[in-house]
Amino acid sequence: MAGGQERILRSRIRSVQATKKITRAMELIAASRIVKAQQRVAAAVPYSEQITEVVKDLAAAGGDASRSPLLAGRDEIRRTAYVVISADRGLCGGYNAGVQRATEGEIKADVLAGKDYAVVACGRKAEGYFRFRGYQLARTFAGFSDSPTYADAKAIGQYVMEQYISGEFDSVSLVYTRFISAGSQEVVLRPLVPLDRDLAKGGDGKGTDASGAPADFEFEPDPTTILDTLLPRYVEARVYADLLTAATSEPA
């Protein structure tokens, strides 16, 4: 073998070995991130479950859920907003492509049906993808895909609720990747606003005391006022839970 070819092959071998070390280090980092992300998801579950129970109890205690704009659906859906949760970076296989393709499919179906749409991109990859292809971007959020906080979820939740209540959006759906296991994740399209009316059903208006026995609650102010305050928190909690499970799927 000529000396020049041998040097080229040796250089190629060193390059592949270096790449192998880098990707192995990335794998170890991703594995540690999955564990931490799963712990954050588990820590958020009790809050999400409890706020659901409180909403049901408030409705059962006399809270008028029917007057809340977040529970009032539209007679006609003219414009749907899709909150697309993606990553800020690449190198995560089909993670970004999955939510992008799912959203595109929904948008094409809306356009064929003569309906309007809007994209709320969460993550730089979703923003770049939809902006480059000329889709209607209503708002973008980025910089937190690997470690979202409740403040990030609150900003997203408040924006879509404001747009829904003002009439800019007639419906809001979340498109994200749900974590099943380290080797399995699935893209989910989940309605967010308006809230399901069944959310306010099934409560008994009572809680439990320190011993776990049933206890009657006295509400101050009235249950309807508390319910109006709590429903936006419920929307934010749902967005936060989906941001967390998406953040778990990204390193997987």
Side-chain angles (χ1 to χ4, degrees):
M1 182 182 293
Q5 290 182 329
E6 183 178 354
R7 284 194 298 273
I8 291 173
L9 287 175
R10 289 182 182 277
S11 176
R12 182 72 179 274
I13 291 170
R14 286 194 297 269
S15 176
V16 171
Q17 289 175 336
T19 302
K20 181 180 178 181
K21 292 179 181 178
I22 293 171
T23 53
R24 176 57 179 165
M26 293 171 65
E27 180 184 358
L28 294 173
I29 293 171
S32 67
R33 284 176 56 196
I34 291 175
V35 175
K36 292 179 181 178
Q38 286 180 297
Q39 292 172 345
R40 296 185 69 192
V41 171
V45 167
Y47 174 78
S48 180
E49 292 178 345
Q50 192 61 47
I51 197 172
T52 302
E53 291 303 314
V54 172
V55 168
K56 291 180 178 180
D57 288 339
L58 284 167
D64 186 4
S66 62
R67 79 174 211 178
S68 172
L70 296 177
L71 285 165
R74 303 281 198 267
D75 294 331
E76 181 183 2
I77 305 298
R78 292 170 296 180
R79 191 184 194 201
T80 300
Y82 297 99
V83 180
V84 187
I85 301 176
S86 73
D88 289 318
R89 295 186 292 267
L91 295 176
C92 47
Y95 173 78
N96 294 311
V99 292
Q100 291 162 359
R101 285 196 298 265
T103 306
E104 274 190 312
E106 294 297 319
I107 290 173
K108 290 176 181 177
D110 287 344
V111 172
L112 288 174
K115 299 177 182 179
D116 198 6
Y117 71 91
V119 176
V120 179
C122 302
R124 294 191 177 94
K125 287 298 179 179
E127 177 185 355
Y129 183 90
F130 291 106
R131 190 183 299 280
F132 179 77
R133 286 161 179 77
Y135 286 97
Q136 299 176 26
L137 275 174
R139 182 75 182 271
T140 62
F141 299 87
F144 53 79
S145 72
D146 56 346
S147 185
T149 65
Y150 191 86
D152 300 318
K154 184 176 182 178
I156 297 168
Q158 286 185 341
Y159 171 74
V160 297
M161 284 187 288
E162 289 170 359
Q163 297 301 302
Y164 176 78
I165 293 172
S166 68
E168 287 294 319
F169 301 155
D170 296 313
S171 175
V172 181
S173 292
L174 285 163
V175 188
Y176 67 100
T177 306
R178 180 164 57 196
F179 179 85
I180 300 173
S181 68
S184 178
Q185 304 85 40
E186 65 175 354
V187 176
V188 176
L189 175 68
R190 181 182 183 185
L192 179 64
V193 181
L195 296 172
D196 189 344
R197 289 184 177 272
D198 289 341
L199 170 67
K201 298 178 181 178
D204 56 11
K206 298 179 180 180
T208 56
D209 59 21
S211 65
D216 290 326
F217 284 151
E218 291 185 4
F219 297 100
E220 180 65 34
D222 60 278
T224 299
T225 302
I226 302 175
L227 191 61
D228 289 341
T229 303
L230 199 60
L231 284 175
R233 305 291 84 77
Y234 175 80
V235 173
E236 294 165 6
R238 282 186 55 181
V239 174
Y240 184 49
D242 293 343
L243 285 175
L244 288 177
T245 189
T248 309
S249 300
E250 181 183 343

